[in-house]
Each structure stands twice: as C-alpha cells, then as structure tokens.
Amino acid sequence: MPAIHSETRFDWSQPVKTGLLGGVAALLLSLIGVIEASHARPVISGIISLGQALLLIVFVLTCVAAIRRAGYARQETSSRGRLLLCGGVAGLMVSVALAALVLIGNVVNLRAVFIKASPELYHLLTLGLDTGGVLALLMSGFLLGIVVGATYLLPARLRRAIAMALGAIPLLAVLYGAFFPGRRFTLPGALALFVVLSAGSYWGGDIRSLVKQRVASLPPAGQRVYKIALWALVALLVLLLPTTGSYPSQMLDLVGLYILMGLGLNIVVGFAGLLDLGYVAFFAIGAYTQAVLTSPEIRWLGEVRLTFWEALPFSVLMATLAGVILGIPVLRMRGDYLAIVTLGFGEIIRIVALSDWLKPYIGGSNGITRIPKPVIGGWELATPGRLYYLIIAGCLLAAVIAARLKHSRLGRAWMAIREDEDVAQAMGIDLVRTKLLAFATGAAFSGLSGAIFAAMITSIYPHSFHLLVSINTLGLIIVGGMGSIPGVILGSLALVGLPEILREFSEYRLLIYGVALVYMMLVRPEGLLPEARRKLELHEAEAAE
Amino acid sequence: MLQRLRRQIPGTVVIMWCIGIAILGIVFWGTVATLRSGKYASAQWVDLFVYGIAQGGIYALIALGYTMVYGVLRMINFAHSEVFMSGPYIGYYVALALDQAGLLNRYPVLGLGIVILVAMTVSTTIAVLLERIAYRPLRRAPRLVPLITAIGASYFLSYAFLGLFGSDLKGYPEIQALKGTWNILGVEVLRPQIVVIVAALVMLAGLYLFVRHTKTGKAMQAVAEDKDCAALMGINVDRIIVITFAIGGALAGAAGVFYALLFKQVKFNMGFFPGIKAFTSAVLGGIGNVTGAMVGGMFLGIAESLFPNLVLDGLGIPAPYQLKDALAFTLLVLVLIFRPTGILGERLAAKKA
C-alpha cells in the first residue's frame, strides 16, 4: 500500500528501535574488545583500520535494516525524504548508544566491571576527539545514515555492486596483509580496487553468462580442454600458495587438517545425519597411536621405532576400530541423545589421557614429544610448506573417497537413514551395518588427520584434543553446508583460516563461531555452498506454504 | 533351536549385556577391595556423602531446567550451562559491592538473598531471551537444527562473558557467618554445605508443589503432554514455554550462587561440567520428568563424590580423583545404553511408542 503510506506521517518508533538494536550490537562489539583489538590492523594505510571498518559495517547494516523494515517504495519521489530521514535516525541511534558509553565511561570507571572499556576505546569511538568528539560521533552517525539511504535509492544492480566491493575490500586487505607481511593497501590502490571490484560485480553476471554461452557452443573436445584448463589453474594456485612464506603455510596446514576432519564428520553428520560431538576422540586416537609408535620416548611397545609411513596405517586403523567400538553402543540412539553421548565419549578419552592412570603408556599431562616428521626418500617434510603437500594429498584422497561414496549405494543408504530411520529400515537397509560404516569412515579420516597433526607439531598433549575441536569441525561443515564437499573446504577456509590470520581475534574465535552457528541455523540452515538435495529438503515447508 | 534363539536375541544385545555385567563386576570388586583395605575412616565417608548431597542439590536444580525444557519442546537446551554461569557471574559484582559496603557480613542473610535474587533475575532474563531469539523461530525445524543453534548460543554466551569481563577466576567474597562448621546430629558439617542443601531442598519442594498444584504448573504438564491439544484447550502455549524457560533459568541462577558458595569462584566457562552433569542427572532420572531430575541429581552428586575413592581406589588406579569428571559421562553412556528411559522415565517411554 505505498499510496496510503506516502500520506502518513514519518514513523519515528521503527528506525529508533532498529537503530537502538544496532547500537546494542555496536556496544557489545566495543565492550567485548573486538573493535579495539582490530584497530591495530589497517584496511587502508593511515585512513581506516579494521576496527573502524567493523563499526562502519554495523552502522550500514543497521540503517539498511531500518529502511528495509520501513518498506518505503523506492520509486516514489514523495517518500524519498522520509527514507533518507529513516536511515539518518537509525544511524543516529547507533551513535547515541556509543556516545552514552563514552559519556558514562568518562564519569564512572567502567573498567572495574568491563575490562575492555579503556580510554583508548573512547578515543577511538569519538574519532580521536575525546569528550568533544561525542557531537562529532552523533553527527557522523546521522550523516552516514543519510548516505546509506541515498545509496539505497540507486538502482538495485549498482547498489549491489557497490555493496559487494565495499564489503570485499576489508577482507582482501586482511588477506593481503597476511600473505605479504608488512604490506598494506594505500588509498589510490584501494580506490582502484574498489572501481575494479564494483565494475566486475556490476557486469559479472553478463560476463559469466557470455563465457558459459561460448563454452557451450564449443565442440565437446574444446569443452573438455576448457574444464581441464580451469582445474589446472586451480591446482596451480593451490600448489603455489605455500611459497608465500612459512606463516601462511602453517595456517594452510591447519586448514587442510580441518578439511580432512570436516570431510570425515561430513559423512557422519552430513550424509548419515548422526550428530557426533565426540569426533575429536578419533583425532586423538590417531595422533596418540602415531606418537606411541614413532616417538623414541615411549618404550613399552618394544625398542623398535616405526617411521611416519609405517605407523600411519596403524593410526588410521586404530581410529577406525575406535569408530566401530564407540558406534556399537550408540546405535539405538537418535538425534540429541546421540550428540550428548558422543560428547561424553570425547571427554572421557581426554580425561583418561590426562590422568596419571595411563601416564606410563601415553605420557599423561606431559604428553608425548619428539615425534618424527615424515620422510619421503631421504627428503624430510620438516617445514610447514613441505608438509602442506602431504596434507593436500590427504585431503584430495579423502575428498575423492567422500565424493565417490556419496553417490554409491552406501551413500544413498546413509541419506535414507538421515531422512527417516524407520522407513529406511523398512526399505531393507541394514541399520547396524550402515551406521557403523558411517562411524568407521568418519573416524578413519579423523585418524589420518590426527596422525599428520602429531607429526606436524611433533609433540602432543591431552589439551590439544579438547571438545572445541569437535565443535570447530561441526561449525565448519554447518557453515559450509551439511553434506556438501565444497562446503567443507569453504567452511574450513572461513572458520579456521580467517581466524588464524586475524590473530588478534583469537580470543573471540569461539564467540564468532557461536554467532555463526546461530545465524546459519536461523537464516540459512543449508549453509553457504549447499548440497542441492538438502536445500530442497530444508525449504520444502516454505515451498509448500 | 540355536538358530531360533539367535533370531530372538540379536548379537548386539548379548554383547551389551556382557559389557554391563563386566562393568558391575569391576565396580563390585573395586568397592570390596577398598572397604577391606580400610584406607578411609568412616568420618571421611560421611564428609564425602554430605558433600555429595550439596553437589547433588545443585545438579538437581540445574537438571530441572533441562528436563522441563525437554518436556515442553523436546530439545536439549545446550546453552543452559551458560544460563547457569551468567547468574552468579553478575552476582559476583553485586556481592563485591555489598561486601565493600559491609552489608554482606553485617546482614549475611539479606546480603546473600540479594545476590541470589540478582543471579536468578539475570539467568531468567538470559534464558527468556535465548528462547525468544534463538529457539522460537525454529520450533518447527528439523530436530538437529535447534540443537546446533543451542550449541552456538552456548559458545556465544560463554565467550561474550569472557570478552566483557575477562578470563580470570573471580573469587567470591567470603562471608564470615559461613566460615567454619555446624554440628548436625553429631557430625561436623561445613556451613556453606548446609546452607546449600537446605536452600536447594526448599526450592525443589517449591517447584514440585508449583508444577503439581498451580494452574500454570498444570498447564505446563499439559503442554509437555501434547502442545497442539493444549492449545485447543485454551492454553497459551508460547506463554507456557516462556514460563518454563524462566523457571528453569531462575533455578539455574540460584544453583549458580550455591555453586559459587561451595567453590568460592566464578569463571566464564564454569558452566560446562555442571551443565553436562546436570543433563546426565536429567537423563538418569528420565528426561522430561521433574521428580526424576531431582532424584537423578542427588544420585549423581553422591555417586560422583564417593565413586573415585570407593571404587577406583580399590582397583589400584593412581590419583582416582582425576577421573571424577569421567564418571558422569560413563554413567550417562551406560544409562542410555541399558535404560534409555532413565530411572523414573516410564511416562516418556510409553509416549514414544
């Protein structure tokens, strides 16, 4: 009813409410310390830091939300003024919340309770002008809201291109800084990048469809060449990544190990629908088996020490066995019970590994050290850059196995169980065998990951195998998209790689995980790169309505 | 003949019963060995037992939150452990202020009352907000979805507290009146333990009466039985669900202060173990069953305090107290394998069929 709407007066309560909600979010970010911690990392050298960029994002999102909720018709000239005002009011309210914090903080020492409410934070929030800056803060919030409103009036395609480019620049700046330490974006560089990105995003759809058309018109042999060339390009990029330095390689190694685990858990949770929160247990068993067999510290199995490669099959085998053994008792359980019991298993393994009881065998709280690195033909994979190739090989192997299994008879049986156990059984699927195979396969991948992990860090301690590892793995497959193999890779990059780059965020990593899990479940339960079938299932109800 | 028998008794069942009997045997053997060695005096057993009751009361209070929410929504509120943590955490700052004002030592009952009230309010608020923001939109979603949301909410809350208030242990201020022991029936018992036991029992009794005899309590039972049918009978289901979360939160907040009285400290991740153990208690008693949660909590508290010394010591395991936390998990796994309905869980079992 845009016609009626344009007759009514400006509705103050909605943008004020939305703005205050955004203000609470901004306050939380500030008081938790995210803003100040990320202030040290520049997005554009000397112009804007990541902390400021984050605050800006909160502002923009709040204004957009307020304008969207008000539901102004964009085409109508008569409502344009109100649309701008709506954005301005929302932006102002965010500023008001932050200004209140600064003013209160100047009178009362908030630091006794909120440890991150430091003068530096106030200095940052008031644009470096301290108490006098409160006015500047309020003004800029209002103006920013109006600018957002004005952008909202632009044609949808242009607006989206600008938003994409603006959102991508902080991300690219962070990646650039991580892979090329010491380097950062300059203002002209960032402007050029902005133009290129927004142009690319503006015409991106056209270009893509054009390329698709061209490829489709090629003869079959040409199409194959095109596909191979594309894959070769991707492979080359993946292989060249660790040459940028030792620190990025370390990060990539970790991402790779999580991809391996994610692929395994994806079989258990994504394919078979068995929520396993004790997945770290198999990782631990793989790592400990590797350590016990190869470290010269452990003598109770005899004097002969195996090499990495000789011990690897045993590690995987032990993890697989553990998967079956832990799988048997939980066969009859479903859903949330299964989740809690597997969580219990994971914790039991860690507590037992930590206790003095098994100390003579696996080192107790002292862990096991001096685990040898893998050697291939006299070439020791000593650096993270070299280990990277081993991990990539492992990931590739696991991804191929997972992809082949997914469309096999077994994979279809897993998905049938996920959808409805009773019906699956009625259709002649052997529940015991199918479920145990899911646990065993998942455990094998995790064991492999654990074995490589042990060789990578050369010393393992029980606290490396915390419940958090399970939660991280679960988080990455959920964010990526349950049941989707590319989703696991994207999820690991986003949830393991990114926090590894943003080291100042390490304290907030799990906070971000938590938000990501809740957000994904509320807004996009199928994940970022969803599996086609799952997407259909999750949106079945909406389609029916 | 043998074939018919095999068809009647599946292999997994036989294996599981063998495991069960083996475990009982080990427990029995360990107990006998410990008792025969006479390593501990009877006074020590009494101490452990009383401590177990205090601990059990806390577990029972938290377990009620799990069990009531499970009753009405059929979901495990994984974030309940953070609801439990948040109350005493904010309560700590209030207690600190009261202590500085001298109120906590001059009027200990009033001071402690204020702290408990604040903690209950905070926990209730967080529990209600959780329901509103994270769970309500997902009420019709597949079962795994709200569980994953709950895990996310749990991490969010716990690490938001870390970010806001820091990662250090915060020592609760001492209350002079609660130092030392009182003599109960000839046994010297630490004062905080008595306070915790009495307060927990009063609260448990109050909740029991509330659920059984008030209109709201009966409405809760009706919603737990059948949501749609309850709605047809004129019960506002959304309101009852909010009330359920609120009561669970209030009890958890109180339990948190009791926990802080026993252990004299709070930390952002203090909720995890009590939370998981309270959940175990709820399952032990039969999830969805209010009385069961109380019985299960008491049982787990006592078992956990006696078990390491009573059984593991006899088996010759060094430093058995290190394995204390593993007991709850082991019990949980065993109960779910051998009696998934819990000790008092007949009601739910019948409904599932």
Side-chain angles (χ1 to χ4, degrees):
Chain A
M1 294 172 289
I4 299 171
H5 198 276
S6 61
E7 297 300 319
T8 51
R9 287 185 306 127
F10 180 69
D11 174 21
W12 287 95
S13 71
Q14 194 279 119
V16 168
K17 265 191 218 157
T18 313
L20 283 179
L21 272 180
V24 170
L27 273 185
L28 202 61
L29 278 181
S30 309
L31 286 178
I32 283 174
V34 174
I35 301 292
E36 206 195 320
S38 54
H39 187 49
R41 193 177 282 267
V43 171
I44 302 169
S45 178
I47 307 275
I48 183 169
S49 72
L50 188 60
Q52 289 163 327
L54 280 178
L55 268 183
L56 270 181
I57 290 173
V58 173
F59 268 101
V60 171
L61 288 181
T62 310
C63 297
V64 170
I67 294 172
R68 284 239 173 104
R69 282 170 114 182
Y72 290 112
R74 204 173 294 130
Q75 306 81 9
E76 269 182 69
T77 27
S78 59
S79 65
R80 278 191 184 161
R82 281 203 298 276
L83 192 151
L84 291 183
L85 185 61
C86 178
V89 170
L92 183 67
M93 288 339 272
V94 181
S95 298
V96 165
L98 291 175
L101 170 69
V102 175
L103 290 178
I104 294 173
N106 276 331
V107 181
V108 192
N109 179 20
L110 285 180
R111 237 177 162 171
V113 178
F114 299 109
I115 53 164
K116 304 278 167 59
S118 61
E120 290 80 33
L121 176 69
Y122 301 150
H123 189 72
L124 170 75
L125 288 179
T126 50
L127 313 169
L129 300 169
D130 292 322
T131 321
V134 170
L135 263 182
L137 173 65
L138 294 176
M139 281 291 290
S140 47
F142 185 68
L143 288 178
L144 194 64
I146 290 184
V147 172
V148 172
T151 324
Y152 200 75
L153 288 173
L154 294 174
R157 196 170 160 188
L158 185 61
R159 181 165 45 99
R160 236 169 263 146
I162 292 177
M164 275 282 287
L166 281 182
I169 283 180
L171 186 69
L172 289 175
V174 166
L175 288 178
Y176 185 65
F179 279 95
F180 305 99
R183 301 226 203 147
R184 48 192 60 168
F185 285 176
T186 56
L187 185 59
L191 281 178
L193 191 64
F194 173 73
V195 171
V196 170
L197 280 175
S198 40
S201 163
Y202 191 79
W203 285 292
D206 292 347
I207 298 170
R208 219 172 305 140
S209 57
L210 195 72
V211 170
K212 233 181 216 165
Q213 251 175 25
R214 280 285 173 82
V215 172
S217 64
L218 284 175
Q223 281 187 30
R224 208 173 304 135
V225 169
Y226 173 77
K227 257 187 198 160
I228 290 171
L230 251 161
W231 279 109
L233 196 72
V234 171
L236 195 69
L237 267 178
V238 168
L239 290 180
L240 281 181
L241 270 177
T243 54
T244 50
S246 153
Y247 177 62
S249 311
Q250 265 174 37
M251 178 204 93
L252 289 169
D253 286 355
L254 203 64
V255 171
L257 289 177
Y258 266 103
I259 291 180
L260 248 179
M261 283 211 284
L263 286 170
L265 189 62
N266 198 27
I267 289 179
V268 185
V269 181
F271 293 179
L274 306 162
L275 186 55
D276 183 353
L277 291 183
Y279 196 58
V280 66
F282 311 124
F283 183 67
I285 288 170
Y288 266 106
T289 312
Q290 185 73 28
V292 165
L293 292 178
T294 58
S295 167
E297 275 177 11
I298 304 292
R299 293 289 184 192
W300 57 274
L301 269 180
E303 291 298 306
V304 185
R305 298 289 83 199
L306 300 184
T307 65
F308 173 84
W309 298 105
E310 287 161 357
L312 191 63
F314 291 103
S315 304
V316 176
L317 196 72
M318 281 296 284
T320 316
L321 260 177
V324 174
I325 291 171
L326 300 193
I328 291 173
V330 299
L331 277 174
R332 285 191 300 178
M333 288 166 209
R334 292 178 187 193
D336 24 22
Y337 274 107
L338 180 77
I340 299 284
V341 170
T342 46
L343 185 152
F345 274 140
E347 284 295 292
I348 291 176
I349 296 265
R350 189 178 65 87
I351 292 168
V352 168
L354 197 58
S355 73
D356 291 346
W357 180 27
L358 295 182
K359 198 166 184 170
Y361 309 104
I362 57 173
S365 55
N366 296 336
I368 302 177
T369 55
R370 293 162 62 202
I371 303 164
K373 300 247 182 198
V375 179
I376 303 177
W379 194 55
E380 195 188 14
L381 301 179
T383 62
R386 291 181 187 173
L387 266 168
Y388 172 81
Y389 295 106
L390 172 67
I391 293 171
I392 285 290
C395 287
L396 210 63
L397 179 73
V400 169
I401 293 176
R404 299 289 299 165
L405 275 176
K406 186 174 172 180
H407 299 292
S408 69
R409 189 185 174 84
L410 183 60
R412 293 198 304 274
W414 282 334
M415 278 171 230
I417 289 185
R418 178 181 80 194
E419 295 323 317
D420 195 319
E421 243 182 76
D422 298 325
V423 174
Q425 193 171 24
M427 290 290 137
I429 290 172
D430 182 352
L431 287 187
V432 172
R433 190 174 148 269
T434 317
K435 279 188 177 180
L436 285 184
L437 272 171
F439 278 118
T441 322
F445 287 9
S446 190
L448 176 64
S449 184
I452 300 177
F453 174 76
M456 183 174 100
I457 63 168
T458 66
S459 46
I460 55 171
Y461 306 95
H463 66 71
S464 309
F465 306 105
H466 201 262
L467 168 70
L468 298 178
V469 179
S470 302
I471 301 288
N472 287 355
T473 318
L474 180 71
L476 71 91
I477 67 171
I478 283 167
V479 168
M482 267 198 261
S484 146
I485 292 167
V488 170
I489 297 167
L490 182 73
S492 308
L493 284 172
L495 284 188
V496 182
L498 214 54
E500 209 54 38
I501 292 176
L502 298 166
R503 262 179 303 180
E504 61 267 40
F505 278 140
S506 57
E507 197 181 321
Y508 312 108
R509 189 172 183 163
L510 286 152
L511 183 99
I512 299 165
Y513 269 52
V515 175
L517 285 188
V518 175
Y519 179 82
M520 291 308 284
M521 284 298 115
L522 288 177
V523 181
R524 214 181 143 93
E526 71 272 22
L528 292 176
L529 287 180
E531 181 205 10
R533 189 186 310 201
R534 189 154 196 106
K535 194 173 170 184
L536 275 177
E537 282 156 15
L538 281 163
H539 291 285
E540 207 169 17
E542 287 162 36
E545 268 166 20
Chain B
M1 175 67 194
L2 200 68
Q3 222 165 18
R4 230 181 76 199
L5 201 71
R6 269 182 64 184
R7 212 175 300 144
Q8 276 169 352
I9 310 169
T12 45
V13 171
V14 174
I15 295 174
M16 281 182 354
W17 277 105
C18 290
I19 297 172
I21 290 164
I23 290 169
L24 280 181
I26 292 171
V27 168
F28 183 71
W29 188 40
T31 311
V32 170
T34 309
L35 291 181
R36 279 178 64 184
S37 74
K39 197 168 162 187
Y40 299 98
S42 62
Q44 277 170 304
W45 291 121
V46 172
D47 280 351
L48 284 173
F49 191 73
V50 173
Y51 172 77
I53 296 178
Q55 185 71 268
I58 293 174
Y59 290 159
L61 284 175
I62 313 171
L64 282 170
Y66 282 106
T67 227
M68 290 194 306
V69 167
Y70 193 91
V72 297
L73 284 184
R74 296 279 177 275
M75 72 167 276
I76 297 172
N77 181 9
F78 206 89
H80 196 58
S81 50
E82 269 55 52
V83 170
F84 159 79
M85 171 274 291
S86 61
Y89 210 111
I90 304 296
Y92 158 79
Y93 290 103
V94 176
L96 213 60
L98 290 177
D99 192 39
Q100 275 161 6
L103 202 76
L104 208 51
N105 282 322
R106 213 172 310 145
Y107 311 104
V109 178
L110 176 71
L112 200 58
I114 294 176
V115 174
I116 290 178
L117 260 183
V118 168
M120 287 171 87
T121 317
V122 171
S123 291
T124 307
T125 315
I126 289 197
V128 170
L129 281 179
L130 255 179
E131 194 274 330
R132 185 68 199 83
I133 297 169
Y135 303 151
R136 193 179 293 181
L138 298 172
R139 214 168 279 163
R140 301 265 166 207
R143 271 181 81 159
L144 280 191
V145 172
L147 181 64
I148 293 167
T149 314
I151 294 171
S154 162
Y155 275 89
F156 169 74
L157 282 172
S158 142
Y159 283 86
F161 271 72
L162 164 72
L164 287 173
F165 306 111
S167 59
D168 49 336
L169 271 175
K170 305 213 183 299
Y172 246 65
E174 288 274 354
I175 301 173
Q176 292 301 326
L178 288 183
K179 273 189 179 164
T181 57
W182 276 318
N183 193 314
I184 306 281
L185 301 174
V187 182
E188 293 290 326
V189 185
L190 289 171
R191 290 182 186 187
Q193 292 186 3
I194 295 174
V195 172
V196 169
I197 292 171
V198 170
L201 287 178
V202 167
M203 286 192 153
L204 291 175
L207 183 92
Y208 184 80
L209 293 177
F210 174 81
V211 171
R212 274 297 159 92
H213 296 293
T214 63
K215 212 168 173 177
T216 318
K218 285 177 188 163
M220 276 168 64
Q221 289 182 43
V223 173
E225 203 68 43
D226 188 330
K227 241 182 286 177
D228 298 326
C229 214
L232 287 176
M233 294 297 126
I235 293 170
N236 185 343
V237 174
D238 274 343
R239 198 178 135 259
I240 294 298
I241 291 176
V242 171
I243 291 176
T244 308
F245 270 88
I247 295 174
L251 293 177
V257 177
F258 300 152
Y259 189 85
L261 280 182
L262 284 189
F263 297 99
K264 309 225 164 28
Q265 59 194 26
V266 287
K267 202 182 175 200
F268 75 98
N269 60 3
M270 69 185 250
F272 178 72
F273 275 116
I276 202 86
K277 286 171 186 170
F279 175 77
T280 307
S281 317
V283 174
L284 270 174
I287 195 150
N289 184 326
V290 171
T291 329
M294 301 181 185
V295 175
M298 283 295 175
F299 177 78
L300 183 64
I302 295 166
E304 200 181 67
S305 123
L306 294 181
F307 179 81
N309 295 2
L310 191 58
V311 180
L312 294 183
D313 213 322
L315 295 174
I317 291 171
Y321 56 88
Q322 288 175 334
L323 294 171
K324 195 180 106 177
D325 288 333
L327 169 74
F329 295 118
T330 317
L331 258 179
L332 177 67
V333 174
L334 292 179
V335 169
L336 283 177
I337 294 169
F338 293 105
R339 197 176 162 81
T341 51
I343 302 170
L344 302 174
E346 298 300 342
R347 213 167 56 93
L348 198 74
K351 206 185 304 159
K352 263 189 179 166

